C-alpha cells in the first residue's frame, strides 16, 4: 500500500501570523545616497494600505544640516552693499532689474535667474534652463523729504494761492538755470543736458525762469482774460441773444 502524503495543517495562530505579516508589510526608509531628491519616494503604510509620498520628509532630512539651494531676499540700505552682494553671488544667468517708480524706485538682483534660451516643455525631467529665482537682493533708493514733497504735487492741479505757498515753502530746492540754458541757444560748447533742456523749451515756445521770478510770480500772480461778445436783438419781440466768442 502506497504512502499517502497529507498536507501539514497550520494552527490558527500560525495562519493569523502569516496573514498579518502580509498585511503589515512595510518598506524601510533609509538615507540612500543615490536617491534623487527631485523624484517622488512612495511607500505603503498599514493604514488601509494607504500610499504615502515620503519624499517631503526625506528632503527635510537632507536639509537638516544644510539647505539644498540658496534662497531668501537680502535688503540693503546703500548701493555699494548691493553691488558687493551681486559680485559675490553672480553667475552666468544672474539678472538685475530696475523699478522705475519715481515714488519708490528700487533695484532687484536675482542671482539664480532663468538661463537664456527658449523654454523647453518637452523634456520629462523639466526645463534645464529653469531656476527657482529664490536668491535675491533688493536696494530701495532713499528718497529725501524734498523729493517726496515735489512728487506729491507732481501732476496735481493747484490754484493760485496753493501754488504760491508751495513755491515759497520749497524755494530752497530750486536752482537757477545755467547761463547757457537762460540764453536759450543750443551750442557745441554747452553740456548735452543743457542742449536738451533748451530744445524742450523751444518746442513749447517757452523759457526757463529763475528763482526770483518764481517767487515774484507766487506773490503777485494775476490772470487777465479778454472775451469778445456778440449781441443780437430782435426789435420786434425784444428778445436778445448774447454769445461769447
Amino acid at each position: 500500500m502506497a504512502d499517502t502524503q497529507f498536507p501539514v495543517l497550520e494552527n490558527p495562530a500560525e495562519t493569523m501570523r502569516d496573514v498579518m505579516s502580509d498585511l503589515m508589510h512595510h518598506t524601510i526608509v533609509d538615507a540612500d545616497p543615490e536617491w534623487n531628491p527631485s523624484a517622488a519616494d512612495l511607500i505603503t503604510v498599514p493604514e488601509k494600505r494607504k500610499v504615502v509620498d515620503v519624499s517631503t520628509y526625506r528632503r527635510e532630512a537632507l536639509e537638516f544640516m544644510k539647505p539644498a539651494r540658496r534662497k531668501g531676499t537680502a535688503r540693503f540700505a546703500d548701493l555699494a552693499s548691493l553691488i558687493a552682494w551681486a559680485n559675490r553671488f553672480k553667475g552666468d544667468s544672474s539678472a538685475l532689474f530696475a523699478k522705475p517708480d519715481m515714488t519708490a524706485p528700487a533695484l532687484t538682483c536675482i542671482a539664480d535667474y532663468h538661463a537664456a534660451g527658449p523654454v523647453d516643455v518637452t523634456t520629462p525631467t523639466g526645463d534645464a534652463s529653469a531656476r527657482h529665482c529664490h536668491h535675491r537682493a533688493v536696494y530701495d533708493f532713499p528718497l529725501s523729504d524734498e523729493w517726496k514733497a515735489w512728487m506729491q504735487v507732481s501732476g496735481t492741479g493747484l490754484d493760485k494761492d496753493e501754488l504760491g505757498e508751495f513755491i515759497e515753502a520749497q524755494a530752497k530746492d530750486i536752482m537757477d538755470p545755467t547761463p547757457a540754458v537762460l540764453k536759450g541757444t543750443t551750442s557745441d560748447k554747452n553740456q548735452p543736458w543743457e542742449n536738451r533742456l533748451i530744445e524742450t523749451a523751444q518746442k513749447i515756445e517757452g523759457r526757463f525762469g529763475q528763482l526770483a521770478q518764481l517767487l515774484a510770480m507766487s506773490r503777485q500772480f494775476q490772470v487777465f482774460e479778454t472775451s469778445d461778445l456778440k449781441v443780437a436783438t430782435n426789435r420786434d419781440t425784444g428778445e436778445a441773444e448774447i454769445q461769447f466768442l
Side-chain angles (χ1 to χ4, degrees):
M1 182 176 180
D3 294 337
T4 302
Q5 298 292 332
F6 295 98
V8 178
L9 298 178
E10 297 179 348
N11 59 43
E14 292 176 333
T15 302
M16 182 58 66
R17 180 199 63 191
D18 295 339
V19 171
M20 294 303 297
S21 176
D22 293 337
L23 292 177
M24 301 298 291
H25 174 73
H26 62 280
T27 301
I28 299 176
V29 180
D30 56 0
D32 184 4
E34 302 297 329
W35 177 69
N36 182 7
S38 64
D41 190 13
L42 306 177
I43 65 170
T44 59
V45 294
E47 183 184 352
K48 300 179 182 179
R49 311 307 301 164
K50 182 174 66 175
V51 177
V52 178
D53 182 1
V54 297
S55 55
T56 301
Y57 301 104
R58 299 193 69 171
R59 293 190 188 100
E60 292 178 355
L62 289 175
E63 294 189 5
F64 180 76
M65 298 301 296
K66 66 175 183 178
R69 64 178 184 273
R70 297 170 179 172
K71 60 182 177 180
T73 301
R75 308 196 76 92
F76 297 107
D78 62 281
L79 187 58
S81 297
L82 177 71
I83 296 174
W85 186 95
N87 288 331
R88 180 177 182 180
F89 297 112
K90 67 181 179 181
D92 294 337
S93 63
S94 299
L96 183 68
F97 299 93
K99 179 184 176 183
D101 184 354
M102 292 296 98
T103 59
L107 289 175
T108 300
C109 181
I110 304 179
D112 58 339
Y113 197 67
H114 305 297
V119 177
D120 181 7
V121 296
T122 60
T123 304
T125 56
D127 189 349
S129 64
R131 303 291 186 270
H132 286 92
C133 302
H134 285 169
H135 195 204
R136 303 182 174 208
V138 177
Y139 170 67
D140 297 310
F141 285 90
L143 302 179
S144 64
D145 294 336
E146 293 79 8
W147 178 271
K148 295 177 182 178
W150 284 95
M151 289 303 301
Q152 187 175 3
V153 300
S154 177
T156 303
L158 300 176
D159 60 28
K160 179 178 71 68
D161 294 334
E162 290 175 339
L163 177 61
E165 292 175 359
F166 181 81
I167 292 177
E168 289 187 354
Q170 305 300 134
K172 62 183 184 302
D173 306 332
I174 302 173
M175 295 179 60
D176 283 341
T178 61
V181 174
L182 288 175
K183 186 178 180 181
T185 304
T186 58
S187 172
D188 295 337
K189 297 180 180 180
N190 298 343
Q191 295 293 329
W193 62 269
E194 290 177 319
N195 286 331
R196 289 196 298 268
L197 291 177
I198 294 171
E199 292 172 356
T200 300
Q202 291 174 348
K203 290 178 181 178
I204 61 175
E205 298 181 355
R207 60 187 177 86
F208 288 92
Q210 295 175 282
L211 176 58
Q213 294 172 319
L214 288 176
L215 290 175
M217 182 184 70
S218 68
R219 298 187 182 100
Q220 303 174 357
F221 184 74
Q222 295 179 347
V223 177
F224 297 92
E225 180 180 351
T226 59
S227 300
D228 295 328
L229 298 178
K230 178 181 178 182
V231 181
T233 303
N234 188 331
R235 290 191 296 271
D236 295 334
T237 62
E239 295 176 340
E241 178 183 355
I242 300 176
Q243 182 179 4
F244 290 90
L245 302 178

